[in-house]
Amino acid sequence: MSSLHKSRIADFHDVLKEPTIALEKLRELSFSGIPCEGGLRCLCWKILLNYLPLERASWTSILAKQRELYSQFLREMIIQPGIAKANMGVSREDVTFEDHPLNPSPDSRWNTYFKDNEVLLQIDKDVRRLCPDISFFQRATEYPCLLILDPQNEFETLRKRVEQTTLKSQTVARNRSGVTNMSSPHKNSAPSSLNEYEVLPNGCEAHWEVVERILFIYAKLNPGIAYVQGMNEIVGPLYYTFATDPNSEWKEHAEADTFFCFTNLMAEIRDNFIKSLDDSQCGITYKMEKVYSTLKDKDMELYLKLQEQNIKPQFFAFRWLTLLLSQEFLLPDVIRIWDSLFADDNRFDFLLLVCCAMLILIREQLLEGDFTINMRLLQDYPITDVCQILQKAKELQDSK
């Protein structure tokens, strides 16, 4: 470890040991990258995402309160409905003239159950394939949820719901428009990818199952948006960071902490996932156009080239912005980018500058390329040095 890196770690410790955290100082340090040693990144993210307050003295009580609240969510939205489902049909009273499996009423227990299953199937499909370049999400967690896995609890878990659903022979795809498509599984994954779908034995659960639970609870608590494909790519890096915390006491509660940090983050970016807001000033279309307007201001020649080739920002910037670049780089690089995004008090304005910087850094290739070559460059971004990208974005920010 270099003396410079040791000095940076010491600077973080100096800020974090104060009774009241100096937020601006923490932002300044975090913007240049947060060391992973000693769980510093996990702690800083929780502060920067407004999960932990600036007053250190209140951390213990707030964490205990929030983690108990999450346990209550599990009881109310997974365990109790699971017990009810396990008992449904056991007695004649469960299938009545007023409530039965074909009842379309929004108040019907059966109708709610089937609608939840549709959301759950989409989540399940997405989380099993999370970060395929690493094996982490397929491995067993050291801290499986005891509330869920307690053998004394006889209820239908999310795992059983997926296995037993009548739709399990089909793949359900819900796009961002809210349209549900069904297709034969034979048209999807090749046999070589079937290992992604292996489920661990009873008593164990994989990290992807934890992420599935987080997303399902979020969907239940936020019915207006529920789950939209791509949210799994937002929660994945958060959970990975918290679940690899070297502090075992904090790592044990990675699920609850991830849920609340994800909820806070989604409060800032959820408009990107709501199609009806696309053309509003808070919608994704406005933000994509802002990338191009910024490019026009910073590099007119490149802007005109993309316009000439009719390369619209929707072709690449939609994914860049909506998923916070989580699909453009390897997970460690995504986490480094997020250090800077979370640290900037106008974090998603900075994201627009990062996207603009990505374009400018490959300007020579874009100026020389035709439509096909340029689309390939933008959809499979060639630069892997994220520090170079962040430095360029900071230059653009400072030149305003």
Side-chain angles (χ1 to χ4, degrees), residues 123-174:
I123 295 173
D124 187 77
K125 186 185 80 164
D126 291 345
V127 297
R128 289 176 189 251
R129 300 180 297 188
L130 195 56
C131 297
D133 51 305
I134 62 173
S135 62
F136 171 80
F137 288 96
Q138 307 302 321
R139 298 202 304 263
T141 172
E142 297 174 54
Y143 300 100
C145 181
L146 299 181
L147 272 176
I148 300 296
L149 297 181
D150 186 348
Q152 300 301 316
N153 288 339
E154 294 186 5
F155 68 95
E156 187 183 53
T157 62
L158 296 188
R159 181 190 292 187
K160 289 177 184 175
R161 284 179 72 160
V162 172
E163 290 172 350
Q164 295 173 3
T165 179
T166 57
L167 298 177
K168 71 177 181 179
S169 63
Q170 295 173 307
T171 299
V172 178
R174 186 182 181 204

Side-chain angles (χ1 to χ4, degrees), residues 162-209:
V162 172
E163 290 172 350
Q164 295 173 3
T165 179
T166 57
L167 298 177
K168 71 177 181 179
S169 63
Q170 295 173 307
T171 299
V172 178
R174 186 182 181 204
N175 63 28
R176 207 172 64 87
S177 305
V179 177
T180 300
N181 301 311
M182 295 204 174
S183 60
S184 166
H186 303 298
K187 296 181 181 178
N188 290 296
S189 303
S192 61
S193 67
L194 290 179
N195 286 338
E196 295 172 1
Y197 295 84
E198 289 181 357
V199 176
L200 296 174
N202 288 334
C204 302
E205 60 179 355
H207 289 290
W208 66 259
E209 293 185 85

Side-chain angles (χ1 to χ4, degrees), residues 176-177 228 234 268-292 312-325 348 351-352 355:
R176 207 172 64 87
S177 305
V228 180
I234 302 296
E268 298 185 54
I269 65 172
R270 61 178 286 160
D271 292 350
N272 294 346
F273 291 88
I274 301 175
K275 186 173 177 58
S276 61
L277 296 177
D278 277 0
D279 297 322
S280 69
Q281 193 162 346
C282 60
I284 190 65
T285 301
Y286 174 83
K287 293 169 186 172
M288 289 188 291
E289 290 171 352
K290 190 74 183 292
V291 172
Y292 262 25
K312 301 182 184 300
Q314 289 90 331
F315 297 163
F316 61 93
F318 178 86
R319 188 175 72 185
W320 290 7
L321 294 169
T322 304
L323 303 184
L324 307 185
L325 298 172
F348 300 111
L351 176 60
L352 300 178
C355 294

Side-chain angles (χ1 to χ4, degrees), residues 9-26:
I9 292 174
D11 288 342
F12 274 92
H13 282 303
D14 288 343
V15 171
L16 293 170
K17 72 182 181 184
E18 292 295 324
T20 300
I21 308 299
L23 183 58
E24 288 308 310
K25 182 62 176 175
L26 182 63

Side-chain angles (χ1 to χ4, degrees), residues 86-346:
N87 293 330
M88 281 171 90
V90 172
S91 63
R92 294 286 299 177
E93 289 75 13
D94 291 313
V95 181
T96 64
F97 181 77
E98 291 79 16
D99 196 11
H100 50 81
L102 299 180
N103 186 353
S105 168
D107 298 325
S108 165
R109 283 190 303 160
W110 290 94
N111 188 44
T112 299
Y113 179 81
F114 292 137
K115 283 187 176 297
D116 287 348
N117 266 5
E118 183 178 314
V119 174
L120 177 59
L121 283 172
Q122 180 62 61
I123 295 173
D124 187 77
K125 186 185 80 164
D126 291 345
V127 297
R128 289 176 189 251
R129 300 180 297 188
L130 195 56
C131 297
D133 51 305
I134 62 173
S135 62
F136 171 80
F137 288 96
Q138 307 302 321
R139 298 202 304 263
T141 172
E142 297 174 54
Y143 300 100
C145 181
L146 299 181
L147 272 176
I148 300 296
L149 297 181
D150 186 348
Q152 300 301 316
N153 288 339
E154 294 186 5
F155 68 95
E156 187 183 53
T157 62
L158 296 188
R159 181 190 292 187
K160 289 177 184 175
R161 284 179 72 160
V162 172
E163 290 172 350
Q164 295 173 3
T165 179
T166 57
L167 298 177
K168 71 177 181 179
S169 63
Q170 295 173 307
T171 299
V172 178
R174 186 182 181 204
N175 63 28
R176 207 172 64 87
S177 305
V179 177
T180 300
N181 301 311
M182 295 204 174
S183 60
S184 166
H186 303 298
K187 296 181 181 178
N188 290 296
S189 303
S192 61
S193 67
L194 290 179
N195 286 338
E196 295 172 1
Y197 295 84
E198 289 181 357
V199 176
L200 296 174
N202 288 334
C204 302
E205 60 179 355
H207 289 290
W208 66 259
E209 293 185 85
V210 181
V211 174
E212 178 175 79
R213 199 157 50 236
I214 292 169
L215 289 168
F216 183 74
I217 295 294
Y218 179 83
K220 290 285 289 178
L221 287 171
N222 297 271
I225 185 172
Y227 172 78
V228 180
Q229 201 166 26
M231 290 181 183
N232 57 308
E233 306 294 350
I234 302 296
V235 75
L238 287 172
Y239 175 73
Y240 174 84
T241 300
F242 296 159
T244 55
D245 191 322
N247 183 332
S248 59
E249 183 181 346
W250 287 57
K251 180 160 62 173
E252 182 178 356
H253 298 285
E255 179 176 350
D257 294 347
T258 299
F259 172 80
F260 288 108
C261 286
F262 172 69
T263 299
N264 289 352
L265 181 56
M266 282 300 301
E268 298 185 54
I269 65 172
R270 61 178 286 160
D271 292 350
N272 294 346
F273 291 88
I274 301 175
K275 186 173 177 58
S276 61
L277 296 177
D278 277 0
D279 297 322
S280 69
Q281 193 162 346
C282 60
I284 190 65
T285 301
Y286 174 83
K287 293 169 186 172
M288 289 188 291
E289 290 171 352
K290 190 74 183 292
V291 172
Y292 262 25
S293 65
T294 304
L295 179 65
K296 182 179 180 181
D297 182 49
K298 304 295 183 182
D299 192 333
M300 176 65 80
E301 183 183 9
L302 178 55
Y303 168 78
L304 290 175
K305 177 70 173 182
L306 296 177
Q307 291 288 86
E308 175 192 323
Q309 294 184 342
N310 199 29
I311 296 178
K312 301 182 184 300
Q314 289 90 331
F315 297 163
F316 61 93
F318 178 86
R319 188 175 72 185
W320 290 7
L321 294 169
T322 304
L323 303 184
L324 307 185
L325 298 172
S326 61
Q327 291 292 282
E328 314 315 312
F329 304 98
L330 296 176
L331 183 57
D333 294 324
V334 172
I335 289 171
R336 170 62 192 90
I337 291 172
W338 285 17
D339 284 346
S340 295
L341 286 183
F342 296 165
D344 197 284
D345 53 355
N346 297 310

